[in-house]
Amino acid sequence: MKDVMKRNTKVALALCLAVLGTAIEARADCQNVSGSITETSIPAPNDPLGRSLANVDGTLKGANTAVITSSSPDGLNATSLDVFLTTRGDVLTATGAVTVTPIPGNSSDFTLYVTLKITGGSGKYTGATGTLTYQGQANVDAAGIFHVYATYRGSVCGPSVKDDKDDRN
């Protein structure tokens, strides 16, 4: 009887590990994402450090808004809260680390590098994790409006990120 119980316990343990492994594997579905972002700062009286609105092309086709949540005294480094809304209606949220570097010899042009840590979302991005980076150029026009032209790439992981198709259509 003890041998049967040991065998049943081992079988049950093996089944539990298999089910857990399947759940972890399902959770680990990832989607490589890439595309471009055209972003402009917008007036936002309730966001004292700034807000931007962007058109997003590529895998995350739709729109993006970002709120600056902190900034270094020189304004060259910042943190942000970003929200992507795809044309399918899925939402992807992230926190960002932003670095702008002045281009020598030009007071209004900058290079831009952003790292976004995915914090979740809704729709196909419910429970999402991952990292996106984008880099490109930024310009401040005569009216003080910030314009960004950048490309993004990264990986978004979660239980449903590989649903049917991406948003390029």
Side-chain angles (χ1 to χ4, degrees), residues 98-123:
V98 181
T99 301
V100 292
T101 304
I103 294 175
N106 190 323
S107 62
S108 62
D109 290 333
F110 303 84
T111 60
L112 172 85
Y113 186 81
V114 180
T115 300
L116 297 176
K117 179 182 176 192
I118 306 302
T119 58
S122 65

Side-chain angles (χ1 to χ4, degrees), residues 131-155:
T131 304
L132 295 176
T133 58
Y134 63 89
Q135 58 189 29
Q137 291 204 322
N139 174 274
V140 179
D141 67 19
I145 304 295
F146 203 78
H147 304 277
V148 172
Y149 309 95
T151 57
Y152 69 89
R153 67 178 349 106
S155 181

Side-chain angles (χ1 to χ4, degrees), residues 2 9 32 47-48 50-51 57 61 68 80 165:
K2 279 186 175 181
T9 302
N32 289 327
D47 301 316
R51 175 182 288 271
D57 288 316
K61 184 176 182 177
I68 301 299
S80 65
K165 62 183 185 294

Side-chain angles (χ1 to χ4, degrees), residues 18-43:
V19 168
L20 179 61
T22 302
I24 290 170
E25 185 177 308
R27 177 76 177 135
D29 281 347
C30 295
Q31 174 187 36
N32 289 327
V33 297
S34 62
S36 62
I37 294 177
T38 305
E39 184 174 39
T40 302
S41 61
I42 59 173

Side-chain angles (χ1 to χ4, degrees), residues 74-89:
D74 62 7
L76 298 178
N77 295 288
T79 59
S80 65
L81 176 61
D82 289 63
V83 178
F84 291 83
L85 174 63
T86 69
T87 55
R88 282 178 33 144

